[in-house]
Amino acid sequence: MTKVLVGYYSQTGNTARMAGAVAEGARSAGAEVTLKKVEEVTLDDLVAADGIIIGSPTYYAQMAAQVKMLFDRSSEIRGRLENKVGAAFTSSASPEGGNQTTLISILECMIIHAMAVVGDPMETGGHFGAIAVGDPDQRSLETCRKTGARVARLAAKLSS
Ligand SMILES: Cc1cc2nc3c(=O)[nH]c(=O)nc-3n(C[C@H](O)[C@H](O)[C@H](O)COP(=O)(O)O)c2cc1C
């Protein structure tokens, strides 16, 4: 069974609600999903996953330090995430508050791990992944579900 890890950091619940929808989407596409706060994600979780989807609030137009810490820890497993499918999602307070640069900051780390990253085909205009502004609305949650399903389907193809 294809394994998808959804890791997120959330202080006030917006990114956590997005993470729930991403996980639901991945499950609907047949994946076995692990949904965890980034502080609880282990290096073994990363290695075991076929798809890794990471969510962060937008902090100063970048990922939160707690999320960066997971990527910093992952330097210990350089080479072992190659060809896994990756995607990112974020919640910001403002529509032009740096949500896209936050997604890119996450995708950059995945690319450095030689993961195969996917973006968003114009569903919310996020381009680089799912975005919610404040409390995620139905449109954002639907994009999150589609992101989870997209990663699960591609990861199934790549790992078969
Ligand atoms: C330290 C800090 C930095 C933030 N920086 C930004 C920012 O650069 N742009 C923005 O739009 N919102 C910013 N925000 C707001 C959060 O991104 C926003 O409230 C988000 O929805 C919080 O997600 P959460 O509910 O998952 O914690 C910041 C919040 C904090 C606490």
Side-chain angles (χ1 to χ4, degrees):
M1 202 173 188
T2 307
K3 291 184 177 161
V4 171
L5 170 71
V6 181
Y8 68 95
Y9 176 71
S10 184
Q11 206 171 29
T12 56
N14 296 330
T15 316
R17 279 188 283 283
M18 296 177 81
V22 171
E24 190 187 321
R27 262 185 223 110
S28 76
E32 178 188 321
V33 177
T34 302
L35 174 64
K36 279 190 174 181
K37 295 177 182 171
V38 282
E39 304 96 310
E40 292 164 8
V41 171
T42 65
L43 298 182
D44 286 343
D45 290 330
L46 294 173
V47 172
D50 302 301
I52 300 171
I53 313 176
I54 300 293
S56 174
T58 293
Y59 279 4
Y60 295 96
Q62 297 170 42
M63 72 181 101
Q66 288 82 353
V67 180
K68 179 63 163 41
M69 188 69 81
L70 172 63
F71 284 113
D72 289 357
R73 283 195 281 134
S74 75
S75 66
E76 276 182 43
I77 49 166
R78 281 287 290 278
R80 298 181 66 193
L81 303 185
E82 191 175 349
N83 297 336
K84 295 180 187 297
V85 180
F89 57 98
T90 189
S91 163
S92 63
S94 156
E96 56 286 285
N99 41 40
Q100 291 199 329
T101 46
T102 298
L103 294 173
I104 291 289
S105 72
I106 295 170
L107 298 180
E108 278 174 349
C109 295
M110 293 178 167
I111 289 167
I112 290 166
H113 273 297
M115 292 173 61
V117 301
V118 294
D120 177 68
M122 295 293 287
E123 281 160 2
T124 59
H127 293 341
F128 303 109
I131 288 172
V133 177
D135 189 14
D137 60 15
Q138 283 311 313
R139 191 164 176 239
S140 299
L141 293 172
E142 184 55 20
T143 305
C144 289
R145 284 189 279 272
K146 285 181 177 167
T147 299
R150 183 177 304 114
V151 168
R153 283 195 299 268
L154 183 57
K157 282 185 194 167
L158 287 185
S159 59
S160 66

